[in-house]
Structure formats: C-alpha cells, structure tokens
Amino acid sequence: MRVVIAEDLALLRDGLIRLLGAFGFEVVEAVDNGPSLLRALTAHRPDVAVVDVRLPPTFTDEGLKAALEARREIPGLPVLVLSQHVEQLYARELLSDSRGGIGYLLKDRVSDVQVFVEAVRRVADGGTALDPDVVSQLLTRHAREEPLQGLTPREREVLGLMAEGRSNAAIAAKMFVTEKAVSKHTNSIFGKLGLPPSEDDNRRVLAVLAYLGA
C-alpha cells in the first residue's frame, strides 16, 4: 500500500515513515510543505495520503488546501488528515466529498499505534476515520453558522473581506482575481443568503450582518 506523507516536523515525519514501514506500507515520498505535497500526490497517485494541516510556507492550512486541490485532479484520492487543530472551513469541504476514503485525526491519536494504523488502512480502502473531537467541533460550528452553510470556501472568503469593509475592487486585489469574478461571488452570496434585489435594503450590509451573527 503506497503512502505519501506531509509533515513539517522532521522528527514526527521520520517516525511516521518508520511506523508505516513496520506495518507493511510503502512510503513513496515524504514532504514538508504544501506545494511539494500537491506535486507528490499528483505524481505518485498513492493509495493514501497522510497530511498535516499546517505546512509551510504559510503554516495555516496549506496541507488541507493541497489535499483538496489534489482530490479535484484525482477524484476519490484517499486522504487522512493529521492535525493539532480542527480547521473548520476546509475540513467540512473535505468531508463533504463522498468520493474516496477520508479521515481526520488529532495528532495525539498517533500515540495509539493500532488505532492510527487501522485508520490509515480504513481510509485507503475507501472508508472513513474521524476523531470524535473533530466530529463534535464540526457539529457545534454547524449549528452556529446555519445561515452560511451553503456558501463555498471562496464565497466565505469574499464575505469575510466584505465584513472588513472592502470594496469589490479591494477584494479583487486581495484575492488576485478580477472584479467581475468578485461580483459573481457576491451575487451568489446574496442569493444563497436569501437577499433579493431591493431598493430599501443594502444587501451588502445584510450579508455582513449574517456573517458576523454566525
């Protein structure tokens, strides 16, 4: 069973290589940053990827974003996420894709070798392995942000910048897209939030209020 590992901490990365090797897995590549992860996944097309969320260069959500992009290129690519945190937005996007195995474990689960190895095998076989704490946090967040559940990650990013008071031109510059693309996203946001055209209400303000309320 071929595995790609993404982990920026050298000690943990080496430990994962040795651990998986001892249980019969073949680690075809181990990387320490988001761009290298995307390249490795598309080049090797492994049976399963074991991915840390926060990788260089930004140490935010590079690993999860690279995994999502790889799954768009390789539908159904099995991904097991390891993290010290629950990254709400991209975790829900990853878990909403029913094609292929998916897992999300907090890093302290790796200390239980049997649980971790079983999770890797289950995800590689197309199953699901979710940490109970991850499920709990996602469900709690889902209940709080019900009005925004239909927005895509890109639309949420646009809405967040709107909440900062940025114009479409400023949002376009921040996201490195055209104003036309931003306008398309804002219109989609208004539609999903049930804000039809109106002469009385400022839909931009109402959308931001929905965002802040969630």
Side-chain angles (χ1 to χ4, degrees):
M1 196 172 289
R2 299 164 63 253
V3 185
V4 165
I5 294 173
E7 170 56 58
D8 66 298
L9 295 177
L11 189 60
L12 180 54
R13 186 170 64 250
D14 185 63
L16 289 171
I17 294 171
R18 293 172 181 273
L19 173 62
L20 292 173
F23 281 85
F25 295 89
E26 178 190 0
V27 178
V28 293
E29 190 167 354
V31 301
D32 64 357
N33 63 80
S36 294
L37 171 59
L38 180 58
R39 176 199 53 75
L41 292 177
T42 53
H44 294 290
R45 294 177 177 251
D47 296 304
V48 61
V50 178
V51 176
D52 186 13
V53 170
R54 299 186 176 185
L55 295 174
T58 66
F59 290 101
T60 54
D61 49 20
E62 291 293 315
L64 205 45
K65 288 169 71 174
L68 284 167
E69 188 169 344
R71 279 175 67 92
R72 282 190 281 270
E73 294 188 31
I74 311 169
L77 174 69
V79 174
L80 174 60
V81 174
L82 285 180
S83 180
Q84 292 178 327
H85 314 277
V86 181
E87 301 295 338
Q88 301 274 357
L89 180 57
Y90 291 105
R92 284 174 58 177
E93 183 179 354
L94 181 68
L95 296 173
S96 67
D97 185 353
S98 60
R99 297 171 298 176
I102 288 294
Y104 201 124
L105 298 181
L106 298 182
K107 282 187 175 180
D108 57 7
R109 304 296 179 189
V110 181
S111 61
D112 190 327
V113 172
Q114 292 298 332
V115 170
F116 173 67
V117 171
E118 174 58 29
V120 176
R121 293 191 188 280
R122 192 182 316 135
V123 171
D125 290 338
T128 302
L130 295 180
D131 192 297
D133 289 342
V134 173
V135 174
S136 176
Q137 289 191 46
L138 290 176
L139 289 176
T140 301
R141 178 61 178 255
H142 176 77
R144 289 202 308 268
E145 61 176 29
E146 187 73 20
L148 308 183
Q149 64 177 332
L151 302 186
T152 66
R154 202 65 164 171
E155 289 167 352
R156 290 168 182 263
E157 185 177 359
V158 170
L159 185 53
L161 293 171
M162 285 170 56
E164 294 177 12
R166 298 175 187 257
S167 65
N168 280 8
I171 294 173
K174 177 73 174 180
M175 297 177 64
F176 301 103
V177 298
T178 64
E179 286 191 50
K180 184 177 180 181
V182 173
S183 179
K184 182 178 178 180
H185 284 310
T186 56
N187 286 332
S188 178
I189 290 167
F190 296 150
K192 290 179 179 180
L193 294 180
L195 301 173
S198 170
E199 296 180 358
D200 300 322
D201 298 322
N202 185 326
R203 292 190 297 168
R204 203 176 185 89
V205 172
L206 292 174
V208 169
L209 288 175
Y211 174 82
L212 296 176

